[in-house]
């Protein structure tokens, strides 16, 4: 039987309601994938006060299903404490959780008791499994069969996937459980399950705003491999008045040109071995800088922009972290 336990989380507009449902499917007689992360009913309508009238009114409205995690990595809101103290609001601070915690930090949760579930409630037979890549900015939806605990496949035995939601699958809940902070974020943003494509696109945009270096690029390799960064560096040498220092800087530019040409030649021979050629380039530049000390802030910016554009054009954005980690300039 369904547990019927009803909770609320404090939101910008008041309170959002979510109700626990049993992990055993009442119609088909099967356990869901996560016995400890069962489906909850999440009510779209938010209430301003915790009066019984408002609560029941919200429960007559529309809802969606979602798995919700009260605990992740053995930390989080002790659910038993909530159940033992109905109508008491608990914040993350009450459980020794910092506000910076990405899973529970700014949440305040109250257990409201047991309420009858809507008559139309029935555990989903299918769920949607999101597969996304931050490096490409692309995503797709797989369909998970909750009865058989497997992905739905086509006649050729390959998992069925969708680039966008359609009328058939937009009502399916997400496959994975979400932490309370994600639930709070959804309430505050007036989330609608049938608009999950917009939600994912918003997630991408927020990530790229915080990490602009990972935003997918439309740069083409053949368009960014030339001119080499030394062209710009050689212009700097013209401002050096002392002939000895100017010649030293020109030799420095010659060495960078040599390293870059080896880098490009290696990539042209084997684009699958970009990491290998990147390592050789970084090692060479690190040695050059140790020897000459001439890779100053401006030089570093010019070289970094060139190399990062090469990596982006090759869809090797993950190697940007390697570049940051290994360079000494």
């Amino acid at each position: 039987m369904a547990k019927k336990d009803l909770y609320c989380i404090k939101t910008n507009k008041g309170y959002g309601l979510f109700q626990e449902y049993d992990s055993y499917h009442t119609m088909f007689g099967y356990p869901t994938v996560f016995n400890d992360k069962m489906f909850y009913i999440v009510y779209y309508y938010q209430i301003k006060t915790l009066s019984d009238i408002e609560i029941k009114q919200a429960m007559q409205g529309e809802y969606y299903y979602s798995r919700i995690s009260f605990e992740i990595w053995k930390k989080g809101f002790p659910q038993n404490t909530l159940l033992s103290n109905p109508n008491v609001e608990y914040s993350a601070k009450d459980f020794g959780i910092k506000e910076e915690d990405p899973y529970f930090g700014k949440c305040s949760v109250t257990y409201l008791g047991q309420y009858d579930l809507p008559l139309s409630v029935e555990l989903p037979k299918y769920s949607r499994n999101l597969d996304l890549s931050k490096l490409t900015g692309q995503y797709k939806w797989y369909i998970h069969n909750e009865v058989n605990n497997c992905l739905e496949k086509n006649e050729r035995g390959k998992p069925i996937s969708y680039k966008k939601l359609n009328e058939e699958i937009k009502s399916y809940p997400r496959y994975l459980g979400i932490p309370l902070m994600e639930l709070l974020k959804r309430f505050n943003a007036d989330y609608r399950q049938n608009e999950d494509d917009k939600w994912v696109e918003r997630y991408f945009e927020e990530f790229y705003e915080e990490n602009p270096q990972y935003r997918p690029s439309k740069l083409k390799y053949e368009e960014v491999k030339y001119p080499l960064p030394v062209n710009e560096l050689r212009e700097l040498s013209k401002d050096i008045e002392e002939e000895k220092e100017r010649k030293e800087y020109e030799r420095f530019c010659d060495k960078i040109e040599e390293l870059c040409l080896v880098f490009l030649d290696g990539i042209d021979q084997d684009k699958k071995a970009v990491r290998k050629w990147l390592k050789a380039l970084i090692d060479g530049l690190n040695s050059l800088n140790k020897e000459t000390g001439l890779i100053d802030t401006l030089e570093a910016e010019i070289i970094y922009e060139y190399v990062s554009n090469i990596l982006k054009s090759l869809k090797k954005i993950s190697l940007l972290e390697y570049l940051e980690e290994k360079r000494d300039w």
Side-chain angles (χ1 to χ4, degrees), residues 308-325:
S308 64
N309 282 341
I310 292 290
L311 297 177
K312 289 176 182 178
S313 71
L314 295 170
K315 311 302 180 188
K316 300 291 185 179
I317 301 177
S318 60
L319 290 178
L320 288 174
E321 290 187 7
Y322 182 80
L323 173 61
E324 286 284 5
E325 178 186 350

Side-chain angles (χ1 to χ4, degrees), residues 26-275:
T26 55
M27 178 177 290
F28 297 98
Y30 67 86
T32 58
V33 179
F34 305 103
N35 289 326
D36 61 336
K37 294 180 179 63
M38 60 191 68
F39 280 116
Y40 284 73
I41 300 162
V42 183
Y43 296 94
Y44 285 119
Y45 184 79
Q46 297 181 49
I47 58 180
K48 293 183 178 180
T49 70
L50 296 180
S51 69
D52 200 53
I53 294 176
E54 282 197 64
I55 290 173
K56 290 182 178 179
Q57 181 180 1
M59 294 178 67
Q60 292 174 9
E62 295 182 340
Y63 55 85
Y64 66 96
Y65 301 97
S66 180
R67 289 185 171 101
I68 299 174
S69 303
F70 269 92
E71 293 189 21
I72 290 183
W73 300 328
K74 297 183 179 179
K75 67 176 182 179
F77 288 93
Q79 205 164 359
N80 289 336
T81 301
L82 294 173
L83 294 173
S84 302
N85 298 276
N87 301 311
V88 176
E89 183 174 286
Y90 286 92
S91 68
K93 186 177 180 181
D94 293 324
F95 294 105
I97 301 172
K98 296 181 179 179
E99 279 200 359
E100 295 78 22
D101 185 276
Y103 301 105
F104 306 98
K106 296 180 181 179
C107 296
S108 293
V109 181
T110 304
Y111 171 57
L112 300 174
Q114 291 202 338
Y115 284 75
D116 288 336
L117 294 160
L119 295 176
S120 57
V121 165
E122 178 185 316
L123 278 174
K125 186 178 179 181
Y126 299 101
S127 59
R128 281 191 270 115
N129 195 344
L130 175 64
D131 179 74
L132 60 78
S133 170
K134 295 174 183 175
L135 301 183
T136 64
Q138 297 179 341
Y139 68 95
K140 54 189 172 183
W141 299 102
Y142 289 105
I143 305 305
H144 185 266
N145 188 312
E146 293 284 329
V147 178
N148 300 324
N149 191 17
C150 65
L151 292 178
E152 289 287 277
K153 299 180 179 180
N154 59 24
E155 295 144 357
R156 294 176 294 175
K158 294 186 177 180
I160 299 171
S161 65
Y162 299 84
K163 292 184 178 180
K164 297 288 182 182
L165 297 179
N166 58 30
E167 290 301 320
E168 178 186 356
I169 71 170
K170 64 172 51 175
S171 64
Y172 297 166
R174 292 278 193 98
Y175 169 74
L176 293 175
I178 61 171
L180 291 178
M181 276 293 287
E182 173 67 16
L183 179 64
L184 176 60
K185 184 178 179 181
R186 291 185 181 189
F187 274 123
N188 287 338
D190 291 325
Y191 168 85
R192 290 294 182 271
Q193 184 177 257
N194 61 1
E195 296 179 348
D196 256 342
D197 285 330
K198 293 180 181 179
W199 192 258
V200 176
E201 289 163 7
R202 175 180 172 177
Y203 169 79
F204 274 132
E205 188 56 36
E206 289 176 351
F207 175 78
Y208 295 137
E209 285 179 1
E210 294 179 4
N211 305 275
Q213 70 274 23
Y214 293 116
R215 187 182 290 275
S217 171
K218 294 182 180 179
L219 296 173
K220 303 296 183 184
Y221 173 66
E222 295 299 331
E223 297 174 354
V224 299
K225 60 191 294 188
Y226 296 110
L228 296 175
V230 288
N231 290 24
E232 195 172 348
L233 295 177
R234 291 191 196 283
E235 290 296 317
L236 299 177
S237 68
K238 296 178 181 179
D239 297 327
I240 302 176
E241 296 181 359
E242 182 67 39
E243 183 179 357
K244 182 179 179 182
E245 292 181 3
R246 185 170 61 254
K247 287 185 177 180
E248 182 182 352
Y249 196 88
E250 288 173 353
R251 288 193 293 271
F252 162 74
C253 289
D254 290 340
K255 185 60 179 178
I256 290 181
E257 180 175 12
E258 179 185 332
L259 290 170
C260 287
L261 288 174
V262 172
F263 176 57
L264 293 179
D265 186 56
I267 292 174
D268 290 338
Q269 290 182 44
D270 186 2
K271 287 187 171 62
K272 293 183 179 179
V274 177
R275 184 187 181 94

